[in-house]
Amino acid sequence: MSRTSLKERIKQGPFILDGAMGTQLITRGIQVGACNEYLNIDSADIISEIHRAYLLAGCDAVITNTFGANKYTLARHGFTEDAARINKAGAQIARQAAGEEKYVLGDIGPSGDFLEPLGALNTDDLRDAFAAQAEALLTGGVDGFIIETMTALDETLVAIEAAKSIAGDLPVLVSMSFDKAGDSFKTMMGVGVEAAVSKIIPLNVDAVGFNCGTLSLDQYVALSEEFVTAVRALSDDVAISAEPNAGKPELIDDKAVYKVSPENFAAEAKKIYSAGVRIIGGCCGTSPAHIEAMAKKIRMKQ
Ligand SMILES: [Zn+2]
């Protein structure tokens, strides 16, 4: 294969990721609360169509529809036994859409529970579950892994360890979800940026960053600056990633609504890029139109 390996490619930047999967599924009539990941088995065409829309919009990589496909989140829908085939199918759908030119990142999300003593999870079981997910994603043909929307540092570190045990030479990207906490930013579990990156970077990840959360876009820009400072104090090498939401969610009729337009999203994403973030995509509320506007703006020569 002639193309640059993903590990090398993400160091070059800019590297554009896709936007929201969940938001696009809702647009296509999938019920909120359904098992989105089971669509990899029974509605592969819908998932494929969303990947293709993002690729047409100009992203460099698509992220598999496997965010909630670890055995714990699947158990809530009664699909524990199907974990391996849901992940493998998710990777295959994305691979087929992306072809050999574009890249596929295998998505690994949180378990939805906490490690002992706070929750019921045992470290070895959790590591095994994430490793099994990563292995099925690898079988389906991913180019690397992205661990996303993490809020607890211990779970994040276990997920990294598991993904790296499977990844071999493939890159592992890690992203936590931050909210505003006074003058600074913290995850829901109270983890600050410096605390997070000081534990994550020694595990030899290829990128560290943030996604989702409840920030406004100017707060994501401030978070980017804080992130770049914290990461560069420890490493010249590791890339920094950002997948902001389309602004702060507003609750309308009990539904989270994201109102930032593609143009405004692109303008703020450019500031995030200028702060030193080289891997940029979108999380909740973003659409192919957001990614298209952003990709154009970021790739535009200044
Ligand atoms: Zn999100």
Side-chain angles (χ1 to χ4, degrees), residues 14-27:
F15 190 72
I16 308 291
L17 302 177
D18 62 7
M21 173 60 75
T23 310
Q24 291 301 302
L25 290 174
I26 294 166
T27 306

Side-chain angles (χ1 to χ4, degrees), residues 212 245 283-284:
C212 220
N245 289 340
C283 205
C284 301

Side-chain angles (χ1 to χ4, degrees), residues 8-287:
E8 287 307 310
R9 178 63 187 82
I10 57 177
K11 286 184 190 163
Q12 295 166 4
F15 190 72
I16 308 291
L17 302 177
D18 62 7
M21 173 60 75
T23 310
Q24 291 301 302
L25 290 174
I26 294 166
T27 306
R28 285 166 176 78
I30 304 297
Q31 292 296 312
V32 177
C35 181
N36 288 346
E37 291 73 18
Y38 198 76
L39 297 171
N40 295 342
I41 303 294
D42 70 3
S43 302
D45 53 328
I46 296 179
I47 305 304
S48 180
E49 186 186 301
I50 295 170
H51 287 322
R52 284 172 205 281
Y54 280 122
L55 289 159
L56 265 178
C59 64
D60 296 302
V62 287
I63 298 175
T64 59
N65 178 41
T66 55
F67 176 76
N70 62 73
K71 74 168 187 189
Y72 302 102
T73 45
L74 289 177
R76 287 175 207 122
H77 299 281
F79 292 131
T80 319
E81 300 300 313
D82 301 291
R85 69 182 186 120
I86 288 172
N87 283 289
K88 186 180 170 197
Q92 287 171 329
I93 296 163
R95 175 84 277 154
Q96 210 173 31
E100 294 303 322
E101 294 297 307
K102 302 290 181 101
Y103 298 90
V104 174
L105 282 166
D107 201 11
I108 296 176
S111 65
D113 196 351
F114 299 108
L115 280 161
E116 294 167 339
L118 195 58
L121 298 177
N122 163 290
T123 303
D124 290 338
D125 292 345
L126 182 64
R127 193 190 302 108
D128 288 351
F130 282 137
Q133 183 179 10
E135 194 165 24
L137 287 166
L138 186 64
T139 309
V142 300
D143 300 304
F145 301 92
I146 185 163
I147 298 163
E148 288 187 305
T149 325
M150 287 287 173
T151 59
L153 194 49
D154 54 0
E155 181 176 14
T156 308
L157 302 179
V158 169
I160 295 169
E161 206 186 319
K164 286 199 69 86
S165 74
I166 301 299
D169 289 337
L170 302 184
V172 175
L173 289 62
V174 183
S175 177
M176 295 185 81
S177 187
F178 290 88
D179 300 310
K180 189 81 179 135
D183 289 339
S184 185
F185 299 98
K186 283 195 165 44
T187 72
M188 192 180 72
M189 298 306 291
V191 185
V193 172
E194 261 188 56
V197 301
S198 70
K199 293 286 188 198
I200 290 171
I201 288 177
L203 296 187
N204 256 327
V205 298
D206 297 89
V208 60
F210 56 87
N211 72 294
C212 220
T214 55
L215 303 178
S216 61
L217 277 168
D218 58 328
Q219 289 171 336
Y220 283 114
V221 177
L223 174 59
S224 304
E225 289 160 358
E226 190 173 327
F227 234 91
V228 171
T229 304
V231 172
R232 289 296 164 246
L234 298 170
S235 163
D236 293 328
D237 214 34
V238 65
I240 301 162
S241 69
E243 297 163 275
N245 289 340
K248 205 179 165 78
E250 293 172 42
L251 266 188
I252 297 173
D253 295 335
D254 284 335
K255 274 188 282 188
V257 178
Y258 298 85
K259 288 190 174 165
V260 173
S261 70
E263 291 66 32
N264 290 341
F265 183 79
E268 297 301 314
K270 180 81 179 193
K271 292 181 197 165
I272 290 173
Y273 177 72
S274 301
V277 174
R278 289 293 171 264
I279 305 173
I280 310 187
C283 205
C284 301
T286 59
S287 67

